[in-house]
Amino acid sequence: METDYSHYAVLHEVQHSEAEPSTALQLLTREQDVSPQLLQKFMELIPTMGLTEDMLAILPKSGEWPEGTG
């Protein structure tokens, strides 16, 4: 959907199936820390794709594990 080819990519995926369509919006970055401006831009895209903020999942940074796992 959008990228600067150096730091980030925003991916939008829609799958149509017989049961129910599925929509995904992903922010992929080369750095572990996301700039506030990029995060704001991503958050503004969420409602335009028919998604809500309660659907947002932020995965742990590479190499991080919650206590009691891994």
Side-chain angles (χ1 to χ4, degrees), residues 1-13:
M1 181 171 169
E2 179 180 334
T3 184
D4 70 353
Y5 297 100
S6 297
H7 302 98
Y8 75 95
V10 176
L11 303 176
H12 178 234
E13 179 182 352

Side-chain angles (χ1 to χ4, degrees), residues 27-45:
L27 172 61
L28 306 173
T29 64
R30 292 186 185 267
E31 304 289 325
Q32 288 194 14
D33 294 317
V34 179
S35 74
Q37 296 85 0
L38 182 55
L39 186 56
Q40 178 64 32
K41 187 176 191 177
F42 180 74
M43 297 298 285
E44 289 171 0
L45 285 174

Side-chain angles (χ1 to χ4, degrees), residues 25-27 42-43 46 52-60:
L25 185 65
Q26 298 178 12
L27 172 61
F42 180 74
M43 297 298 285
I46 291 173
T52 59
E53 286 188 29
D54 66 323
M55 297 173 166
L56 177 66
I58 299 176
L59 302 177

Side-chain angles (χ1 to χ4, degrees), residues 60 63-70:
E64 287 188 5
W65 294 92
E67 277 193 41
T69 64

